[in-house]
Amino acid sequence: MLVYNTKTHAKEELTPVKPGKIRMYVCGPTVYDQIHIGNGRTFLAFDVIRRYLIYKGYQVTFAQNLTDVDDKIINRANEEGRTAAEVAAEYSQAFIEQMDRLGVLAPDIRPRATQEIGAMVEMIQGLIEQGHAYEAGNGDVYFSVRSCPSYGDVSGRNIDDLQVGARIEENSDKRDPLDFALWKAAKPGEPSWESPWGEGRPGWHTECSAMVHRYLGTPIDIHGGGSDLVFPHHENEAAQACSCWHEPLANVWMHSGMLRVDGEKMSKSLGNFYTLKEVLDQYPADAVRLLMLQTHYRSPLDFSYERLDGMVGTLERLKNTVRNLRWAADNAAGAGAPDERAKELAAAIDETQATFVSSMDDDFNTSSALAAIFSLATKANTYLDETGTEVCASVALRAADTLVELLDVLGVESVRPSEDPGLPRELVALAAETCGYEGDDVDGAVSALIEARAEARKNKDWGRADAIRDGISALGLVVEDTAAGTRIIAQEG
């Protein structure tokens, strides 16, 4: 399996620290508002990566933090006359809810920054003792960037180039303009915790490094996040870990591309800023997943409602394909031994499975993997159209199972066959009223209604045919004509 490592700018073979096990950390949100669809794209991408690693047999331990103390949270709290803790609690829960709606698996470990202060203080103390950090006169503690020979390795930036144009903030006690805060002295009205340097709170970069080390150990196998985090956040995380514990924070650094809206950068000023919640309030989560997974996770993603509308149709076609394959198999005439057409579909299934795996093994290429799935769906539909009731049941079922299985790996779960509650008994009364059915069996009523409608259509008695159809529709059902025959099913949605 090849994985692109941001640090080396190349695809590398994934080699876990411990064979068969993957320790994975993805930076979570700063919880001061609803997350936007760009954030959703990042979390979805790493959800699929995690799902595929599990599918390949790895034992994955996945951790994702919640940054519940930060300037943005404090500012929001001040604007609304609330405490920072109240704001963080509200939007932590909102984030968890939206991830659940999007179908993103919950992390195995979800540390919250405010509950991990002890680990952060311990790391800062270690950095000071080893000469990589210093206490400023005002109670702040800074990391000495130039004390870390590997600084710049993750982002590929040269420390001397970073120095150009850098300046020390007014009244700052930094020794170097590149140094960054590990601990910030308390300000009036802000949340704070005790430390050897006085009351204060941790710096953003400090939080993730300490939590990764505490819960997963270092080096971990994969550290992920959006490409906007490469510098300075991930660079600073890596520098702290290497300086404190003398080993890399992560062996592989992975980053998802940015999301654009209708070809433009998403921003509130352009009026094209969308939260994940408002998108999921209008569209099924699996349609959102299909749209986002059609673009490779490292490439920029162009989001539009027009494209999302198209994915709703694509999702419905996939669901119909699976449903039609299963129905055709259940209603196949005779034993259905494989003929040449069935053998061709069986070969297409084998090819799809192989292409899916080779695509995902190549740096999680979901675009190519989805293309293989769509191709199989098309071939399966062609097979059904050509064979009608003469399908090979085993091949039809295998095609349906393959579509469900591979889409499930990508987290597209609505194509799973739902548990059939059965058709309503009201069909018996309808059949008795419209076509003189005298039995008491729902299946018999269905057959009578289908036969009566077919006869009416054959005789061009459109009024009678429409009356039967409307009676069925009034029960929340629909008549569907397929190459394999006519059936009565529950309406979607």
Side-chain angles (χ1 to χ4, degrees):
M1 186 185 298
L2 297 178
V3 178
Y4 185 87
N5 190 347
T6 301
K7 182 176 179 179
T8 60
H9 306 289
K11 292 180 184 179
E12 303 174 353
E13 184 174 349
L14 181 61
T15 307
V17 175
K18 297 180 179 179
K21 298 182 178 181
I22 296 287
R23 289 170 298 153
M24 186 174 176
Y25 183 92
V26 174
C27 289
T30 299
V31 285
Y32 70 99
D33 204 345
Q34 290 282 352
I35 65 168
H36 56 70
I37 53 175
N39 304 135
R41 191 268 173 109
T42 293
F43 300 133
L44 185 152
F46 285 100
D47 176 64
V48 170
I49 289 169
R50 175 189 182 188
R51 285 172 180 267
Y52 185 67
L53 290 170
I54 294 171
Y55 175 72
K56 290 283 286 188
Y58 287 102
Q59 180 183 330
V60 179
T61 303
F62 184 92
Q64 182 177 62
N65 70 303
L66 289 173
T67 297
D68 58 352
V69 57
D70 185 80
D71 291 340
K72 293 178 179 178
I73 298 173
I74 295 168
N75 293 340
R76 182 69 178 261
N78 291 336
E79 291 170 3
E80 299 180 354
R82 298 197 285 168
T83 66
E86 289 171 336
V87 171
E90 176 186 346
Y91 290 111
S92 292
Q93 184 59 35
F95 168 71
I96 293 170
E97 290 174 358
Q98 299 316 310
M99 290 295 95
D100 184 60
R101 291 179 71 190
L102 189 58
V104 172
L105 299 174
D108 300 305
I109 305 165
R110 183 180 272 141
R112 300 173 188 244
T114 56
Q115 298 174 10
E116 308 297 334
I117 303 298
M120 299 170 199
V121 168
E122 183 179 342
M123 185 186 77
I124 295 170
Q125 287 179 307
L127 289 169
I128 292 174
E129 291 169 1
Q130 297 178 72
H132 294 290
Y134 56 91
E135 181 182 358
N138 60 358
D140 291 338
V141 179
Y142 292 99
F143 182 85
S144 177
V145 167
R146 291 188 181 275
S147 74
C148 178
S150 63
Y151 193 85
D153 280 1
V154 173
S155 63
R157 303 198 182 197
N158 183 287
I159 197 168
D160 293 323
D161 292 338
L162 293 172
Q163 182 70 41
V164 176
R167 60 185 179 85
I168 298 180
E169 298 91 336
E170 188 176 355
N171 301 323
S172 173
D173 290 314
K174 287 184 181 182
R175 296 174 185 172
D176 188 300
L178 297 181
D179 294 348
F180 59 88
L182 299 174
W183 187 262
K184 299 180 179 181
K187 296 178 182 178
E190 292 187 355
S192 61
W193 291 263
E194 293 183 2
S195 81
W197 319 286
E199 291 280 324
R201 58 187 172 92
W204 177 38
H205 311 306
T206 306
E207 297 171 4
C208 287
S209 298
M211 289 186 282
V212 168
H213 185 73
R214 177 181 180 186
Y215 286 103
L216 298 178
T218 52
I220 61 173
D221 299 291
I222 296 173
H223 194 312
S227 59
D228 56 324
L229 298 183
V230 177
F231 186 89
H233 186 50
H234 287 170
E235 189 65 71
N236 290 349
E237 276 189 63
Q240 292 168 99
C242 188
S243 299
C244 188
W245 302 300
H246 310 291
E247 57 189 1
L249 184 63
N251 287 338
V252 176
W253 292 83
M254 300 179 66
H255 296 93
S256 60
M258 292 295 97
L259 181 143
R260 301 174 301 201
V261 176
D262 293 318
E264 296 184 302
K265 182 179 179 180
M266 184 172 64
S267 71
K268 292 181 179 179
S269 62
L270 291 175
N272 64 356
F273 184 92
Y274 305 117
T275 67
L276 180 62
K277 181 181 184 303
E278 63 185 308
V279 172
L280 291 177
D281 283 346
Q282 303 174 65
Y283 290 89
D286 281 340
V288 177
R289 291 184 79 98
L290 283 178
L291 172 60
M292 293 186 173
L293 295 177
Q294 279 198 309
T295 300
H296 189 275
Y297 79 91
R298 283 191 288 114
S299 300
L301 169 66
D302 191 29
F303 176 92
S304 72
Y305 280 114
E306 182 179 2
R307 291 188 67 198
L308 193 48
D309 287 334
M311 286 302 101
V312 172
T314 298
L315 179 61
E316 287 304 311
R317 287 191 292 274
L318 287 169
K319 292 163 70 173
N320 285 337
T321 299
V322 170
R323 185 177 63 191
N324 291 341
L325 284 165
R326 292 186 181 280
W327 187 82
D330 289 343
N331 292 274
D339 59 11
E340 286 305 312
R341 289 173 300 189
K343 291 177 181 177
E344 288 176 5
L345 181 58
I349 294 170
D350 293 338
E351 182 182 356
T352 298
Q353 292 172 322
T355 301
F356 180 89
V357 170
S358 63
S359 298
M360 294 297 287
D361 278 355
D362 185 13
D363 194 32
F364 309 101
N365 189 342
T366 56
S367 176
S368 177
L370 273 177
I373 291 172
F374 294 156
S375 177
L376 176 60
T378 298
K379 292 174 181 177
N381 285 326
T382 300
Y383 174 72
L384 292 178
D385 289 341
E386 291 178 348
T387 57
T389 59
E390 301 301 321
V391 299
C392 174
S394 61
V395 174
L397 284 175
R398 185 176 166 223
D401 290 345
T402 299
L403 290 170
V404 170
E405 175 189 351
L406 300 185
L407 285 165
D408 197 60
V409 174
L410 302 179
V412 179
E413 299 177 350
S414 63
V415 295
R416 292 177 181 173
S418 58
E419 189 169 326
D420 186 2
L423 295 174
R425 286 202 55 80
E426 287 83 354
L427 283 168
V428 175
L430 178 64
E433 178 185 344
T434 58
C435 54
Y437 178 63
E438 297 180 351
D440 190 42
D441 179 67
V442 174
D443 289 339
V446 168
S447 297
L449 288 165
I450 290 174
E451 289 174 8
R453 176 175 172 267
E455 182 180 359
R457 287 162 61 108
K458 179 180 178 181
N459 296 331
K460 298 185 179 180
D461 186 352
W462 309 120
R464 175 172 167 74
D466 289 346
I468 295 173
R469 181 202 62 203
D470 293 343
I472 293 170
S473 179
L475 297 176
L477 307 171
V478 63
V479 179
E480 185 173 80
D481 297 305
T482 74
T486 301
R487 57 184 171 172
I488 297 175
I489 59 174
Q491 293 184 20
E492 288 292 333

